[in-house]
RNA sequence: GGUCCUGUGGUGCAGUUUGGAGUGCACGCCGGCCUGUCAAGCCGGAGGUCGCGGGUUCAAAUCCCGUCAGGACCGCCA
């Protein structure tokens, strides 16, 4: 139907007879005998000169045949890739008419998102989404190539799986053949990929759809795509290298530049310096240790296990109102309070300055390298809480937009194996119960010094977004049993919950390790989007609805009966 | 489950603080004019459940209560 794409034509094509198909992006009429139509397809836009009488309106679908020609002198449009030329139409066929679109398709208008989702087929025509979908396809393709290069093969795993009690809430699918029983949709292919290892598929990967029935966020949808990978006979370093290659290849495919650095940082260092296990290292404002400065302080609020602060360059300009807001925000995060100090020519301006000795003020200023005009924000609390609050505050005050600062990848390693205790006093696994403890910490594990035990688990962070995580898995039976017993999972319960995996481990399980990272998040950052809905063709709203199809919908009684289901009346 | 923000012709906004006639801006739409525009221009026109319900008031887009939808975040996401 067409010989060329609209956006591909250039001055080289002058003189050629071409046939183009596309949508009317805009028309400019000059009376009976002249009109300009900007014809748009996925490749871009070109100006078509048509007879003024033609009734060609916005978003009509046209087939245009005509000759490519230079535009007359002084009428070139530099802002258009095809701006030096135009197509002189000899024949225009309306393939499909269109009602006026429900919202403008130009890039200038920030349209209500529900409206965009309800008419997603129109929204998808806009350059922004066209570009984002291309970025996504490029990333998918680059990742597949990169994994293939490293000897991984793509294996598909089922969507209808058994529900396990771990992790997120499952989406479930009722069984027709066995009423009252349910499949679960996979939260990840975790178990299956480990079974692949036992099955001798020594390098598995999959760009897998995962589903978790948890509340949605800017970086979270019910369903999302992961690069899921697992390899046998490899170390943590090997896995980091595999994933680094895949992610670097994806970034290079999109930006044209291969990111060089994938630095590593221990979980402890990340917490102490950035107050986060996913530090955004695009900017400074690092947490400064101040506990020694106030070791002998008379100021009650600083008589805490840990005092830290951040320095906001130029922050002394913030109004009292804004500082009060920040204090409230911190309290909302669970802080006992927030101490602010403005660094001024004649000293520290702060409600609490009078409680601090001259030595303390001087030590504070030098430790924080404070300069006139800075704002110092201090929190005193338990170590972990101090770091967490300041980490959130740092992001609140300093985090650049997604499009700024380049790509800063970071491997966070040496996570603790357990993060605190649950209500019943059992330690909680920081990753999952198959995570291998650090070899150097096996003695501490044996000795019961649980919270000091590191794991061979690792996260990949990009500009403060957690892209994904992985671990070396336990393949030694006695260690697995030790972990289960620490977690308070008895042999019977373990068998019930993970029976088929444990059974499989009896038949020759190779040492293995793996990783999974969120493709949507990677694509969003590479596309310069703050929200993964912008890189998903058909996303859902924050309440999990799809304005396009109206999902979720009710099903009729006959259908319910067939599945052995009855819907309870809504409770108050 | 919680906190905060938003909802006004087809679209994007202003108007809400301090109640007084559906008032305004830009785009789009419809009609007319126009042979080099490119966010074309000029003239004219149509288009409203101020999300919904209730309350206060002589009077509500505006104040109060509730509710729905959307968004950001907390909880949640091993």
């Amino acid at each position: 139907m067409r010989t060329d794409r609209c956006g591909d034509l250039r001055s080289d094509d002058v003189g050629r007879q071409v046939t183009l198909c596309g949508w009317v992006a805009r028309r400019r009429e000059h009376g009976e005998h002249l009109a300009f139509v900007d014809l748009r397809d996925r490749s871009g836009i070109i100006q078509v000169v048509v007879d003024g009488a033609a009734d060609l309106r916005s978003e009509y679908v046209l087939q245009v045949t005509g000759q490519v020609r230079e535009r007359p002198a002084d009428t070139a449009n530099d802002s258009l890739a095809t701006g030096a030329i135009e197509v002189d139409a000899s024949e225009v066929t309306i393939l499909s008419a269109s009602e006026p679109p429900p919202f403008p398709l130009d890039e200038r208008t920030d349209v209500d998102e529900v409206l965009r989702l309800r008419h997603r087929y129109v929204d998808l025509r806009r350059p922004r989404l066209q570009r984002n979908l291309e970025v996504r396809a490029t990333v998918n393709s680059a990742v597949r190539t990169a994994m293939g290069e490293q000897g991984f093969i793509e294996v598909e795993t089922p969507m209808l799986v058994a529900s396990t009690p771990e992790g997120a809430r499952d989406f479930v699918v009722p069984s027709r053949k066995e009423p009252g029983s349910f499949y679960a949709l996979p939260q990840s292919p975790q178990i299956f990929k480990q079974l692949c290892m036992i099955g001798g598929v020594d390098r598995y990967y999959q760009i897998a759809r995962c589903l978790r029935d948890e509340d949605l966020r800017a970086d979270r949808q019910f369903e999302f795509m992961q690069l899921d990978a697992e390899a046998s006979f490899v170390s943590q370093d090997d896995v980091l290298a595999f994933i680094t290659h895949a992610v670097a290849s994806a970034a290079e495919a999109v930006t044209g530049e291969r990111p060089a650095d994938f630095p590593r940082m221990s979980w402890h260092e990340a917490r102490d310096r950035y107050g986060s296990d996913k530090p955004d290292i695009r900017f400074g404002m690092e947490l400064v240790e101040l506990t020694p400065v106030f070791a002998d302080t008379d100021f009650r609020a600083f008589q805490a296990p840990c005092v830290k602060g951040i320095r906001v360059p130029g922050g002394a300009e913030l109004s009292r109102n804004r500082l009060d807001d920040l204090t409230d925000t911190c309290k909302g995060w669970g802080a006992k309070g927030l101490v602010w100090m403005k660094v001024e020519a004649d000293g520290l301006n702060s409600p609490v300055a009078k409680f601090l000795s001259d030595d303390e003020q001087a030590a504070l200023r030098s430790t924080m390298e404070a300069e006139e005009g800075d704002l110092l924000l201090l929190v005193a609390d338990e170590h972990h809480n101090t770091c967490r609050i300041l980490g959130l505050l740092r992001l609140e005050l300093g985090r650049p937009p997604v499009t700024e600062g380049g790509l800063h990848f970071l491997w966070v390693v040496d996570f603790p194996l357990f993060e605190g205790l649950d209500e019943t006093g059992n330690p909680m696994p920081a990753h999952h119960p198959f995570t291998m403890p650090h070899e150097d910490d096996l003695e501490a594990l044996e000795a019961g010094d649980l919270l000091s035990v590191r794991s061979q688990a690792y996260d990949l962070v990009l500009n403060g977004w957690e892209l994904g995580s992985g671990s070396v898995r336990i393949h030694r039976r006695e260690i697995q049993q030790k972990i289960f017993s620490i977690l308070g999972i008895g042999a019977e319960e373990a068998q019930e919950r993970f029976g088929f995996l444990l059974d499989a481990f009896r038949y020759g399980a190779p040492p293995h390790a793996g990783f999974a990272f969120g493709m949507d998040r990677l694509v969003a950052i590479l596309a310069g989007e703050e929200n993964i809905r912008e890189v998903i063709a058909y996303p859902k709203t924050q309440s999990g609805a799809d304005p396009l199809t109206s999902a979720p919908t009710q099903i009729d009684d006959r259908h319910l009966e067939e599945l052995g289901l009855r819907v309870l009346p809504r409770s108050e």
Side-chain angles (χ1 to χ4, degrees):
Chain A
M1 286 188 78
R2 60 180 177 183
T3 62
D4 294 85
R5 303 194 308 166
C6 300
D8 293 341
L9 296 175
R10 293 291 182 276
S11 297
D12 293 348
D13 297 296
V14 167
R16 285 182 54 216
Q17 178 92 356
V18 297
T19 301
L20 305 172
C21 294
W23 284 262
V24 176
R26 202 169 286 279
R27 69 200 150 92
R28 294 174 292 278
E29 291 181 67
H30 288 258
E32 233 178 310
H33 298 294
L34 177 67
F36 301 99
V37 167
D38 288 341
L39 196 66
R40 179 191 65 239
D41 64 17
R42 189 157 70 83
S43 63
I45 281 177
I46 191 166
Q47 173 165 289
V48 178
V49 184
V50 300
D51 188 284
D55 188 27
L56 307 175
R57 297 171 189 238
S58 283
E59 300 308 313
Y60 275 33
V61 185
L62 308 183
Q63 181 185 43
V64 175
T65 298
Q67 195 162 40
V68 180
R69 68 184 185 201
E70 295 279 0
R71 292 198 188 184
D74 299 328
T75 62
N77 183 351
D78 293 337
S79 60
L80 221 52
T82 59
I85 55 170
E86 61 190 8
V87 171
D88 182 24
S90 52
E91 195 179 338
V92 175
T93 308
I94 296 173
L95 299 174
S96 186
S98 172
E99 294 179 17
F103 51 85
L105 272 73
D106 59 58
E107 298 260 41
R108 297 171 294 133
T109 315
D110 200 10
V111 181
D112 177 67
E113 200 176 344
V114 185
L115 193 63
R116 292 175 54 202
L117 292 179
R118 187 173 299 136
H119 301 277
R120 194 60 158 178
Y121 39 84
V122 173
D123 198 27
L124 288 172
R125 268 178 225 161
R126 308 207 302 174
R128 177 188 194 177
L129 289 191
Q130 294 268 320
R131 182 176 48 84
N132 290 353
L133 292 182
E134 284 192 30
V135 168
R136 192 183 184 97
T138 300
V139 168
N140 278 334
S141 171
V143 162
R144 286 204 162 90
T145 302
M147 294 308 284
E149 285 166 358
Q150 302 180 102
F152 286 76
I153 63 167
E154 185 163 13
V155 178
E156 285 140 48
T157 53
M159 292 298 286
L160 297 173
V161 303
S163 177
T164 56
E166 275 58 53
R169 197 176 292 116
D170 282 325
F171 278 101
V172 295
V173 178
S175 162
R176 173 178 56 85
K177 289 186 173 293
E178 200 177 318
S181 289
F182 296 82
Y183 301 95
L185 300 175
Q187 296 178 25
S188 81
Q190 181 64 36
I191 303 275
F192 287 101
K193 70 176 174 181
Q194 291 193 245
L195 294 176
C196 277
M197 295 303 103
I198 298 170
V201 181
D202 62 1
R203 290 189 181 182
Y204 145 95
Y205 84 98
Q206 181 181 194
I207 296 181
R209 188 174 298 273
C210 304
L211 299 104
R212 295 179 190 171
D213 187 3
E214 298 294 349
D215 287 357
L216 295 80
R217 287 280 196 287
D219 62 353
R220 261 160 48 189
Q221 285 271 301
F222 280 157
E223 27 184 332
F224 57 98
M225 305 303 290
Q226 283 198 335
L227 170 67
D228 191 55
E230 194 81 11
S232 299
F233 314 119
V234 297
S235 66
Q236 171 172 316
D237 283 350
D238 294 325
V239 175
L240 266 48
F242 292 143
I243 300 302
T244 297
H245 178 59
V247 173
S249 300
E252 183 180 17
V254 173
T255 67
E257 202 173 322
R258 194 171 182 88
D261 289 334
F262 281 67
R264 295 185 196 183
M265 185 181 290
S266 75
W267 177 85
H268 274 104
E269 185 179 351
R271 184 190 56 181
D272 289 348
R273 288 175 58 190
Y274 297 98
S276 170
D277 56 8
K278 45 178 181 180
D280 189 338
I281 56 174
R282 285 177 299 167
F283 66 104
M285 277 174 61
E286 292 188 22
L287 280 53
V288 178
E289 178 63 69
L290 298 169
T291 314
V293 172
F294 299 108
D296 302 313
T297 189
D298 293 329
F299 182 39
R300 280 274 176 77
F302 285 174
Q303 291 169 358
C306 176
V307 184
K308 279 173 175 274
I310 56 175
R311 182 178 68 92
V312 186
E317 291 173 5
L318 293 189
S319 68
R320 184 62 190 260
N321 252 347
R322 172 73 171 135
L323 291 168
D324 288 344
D325 281 351
L326 285 176
T327 304
D328 288 343
T329 303
C330 287
K331 285 178 178 168
W333 289 329
K336 292 188 174 69
L338 175 70
V339 170
W340 57 262
M341 304 187 194
K342 294 180 174 179
V343 183
E344 295 177 350
D346 50 355
L348 293 174
N349 170 2
S350 168
V352 310
K354 57 178 176 288
F355 301 119
L356 304 178
S357 70
D358 290 348
D359 285 351
E360 284 171 340
Q361 296 200 20
L364 172 66
R365 291 185 61 158
S366 68
T367 306
M368 298 200 70
E369 298 172 4
E371 291 173 16
E372 195 179 326
D374 289 348
L375 175 69
L376 307 181
L377 297 170
L378 280 68
V379 171
D381 205 327
E382 298 293 329
H383 183 207
H384 186 77
N385 218 30
T386 298
C387 294
R388 186 178 63 85
I389 302 296
L390 285 172
L392 291 168
L393 200 56
R394 172 179 174 268
L395 293 176
E396 172 81 16
L397 292 169
R399 188 171 200 178
V402 68
T403 48
E404 288 178 14
L407 300 176
H408 288 267
F409 292 94
L410 180 71
W411 284 109
V412 178
V413 297
D414 295 339
F415 273 72
L417 190 59
F418 304 104
E419 52 177 5
L421 309 174
D422 68 11
E423 312 84 55
T424 62
N426 286 321
M428 297 180 292
H431 191 57
H432 61 56
F434 311 114
T435 305
M436 182 67 188
H438 201 291
E439 296 285 351
D440 296 343
D441 294 349
L442 287 175
E443 280 178 26
L445 182 72
E446 206 57 45
D449 185 11
L450 300 181
L451 296 183
S452 78
V453 177
R454 292 166 297 168
S455 68
Q456 297 188 53
Y458 30 87
D459 274 13
L460 179 59
V461 177
L462 171 56
N463 294 1
W465 290 43
E466 182 189 327
L467 272 194
S469 62
S471 64
V472 176
R473 324 298 183 187
I474 299 170
H475 73 282
R476 282 154 61 186
R477 202 171 173 75
E478 74 279 9
I479 296 179
Q480 186 66 68
Q481 277 167 353
K482 175 79 185 170
I483 297 292
F484 278 156
S485 99
I486 289 169
L487 294 175
I489 300 172
E492 201 169 314
E493 189 186 354
Q495 189 61 30
E496 191 181 324
R497 283 161 65 171
F498 315 108
F500 55 96
L501 183 63
L502 297 179
D503 285 348
F505 270 69
R506 288 155 51 191
Y507 297 101
H512 58 286
F515 195 81
F517 76 79
M519 299 287 289
D520 309 270
R521 292 180 183 177
L522 177 62
V523 172
I525 293 172
L526 291 177
E529 294 286 1
E530 305 271 4
N531 190 309
I532 65 170
R533 292 190 298 273
E534 298 298 344
V535 298
I536 296 172
Y538 302 102
K540 291 185 175 49
T541 64
Q542 198 164 65
S543 66
D546 176 6
L548 177 64
T549 64
S550 301
T553 59
Q554 303 195 333
I555 59 175
D556 61 41
D557 292 343
R558 192 172 44 81
H559 200 164
L560 284 172
E561 194 178 341
E562 191 172 48
L563 297 167
L565 298 177
R566 188 170 298 145
V567 177
L568 294 173
R570 289 210 155 203
S571 59
E572 298 304 312

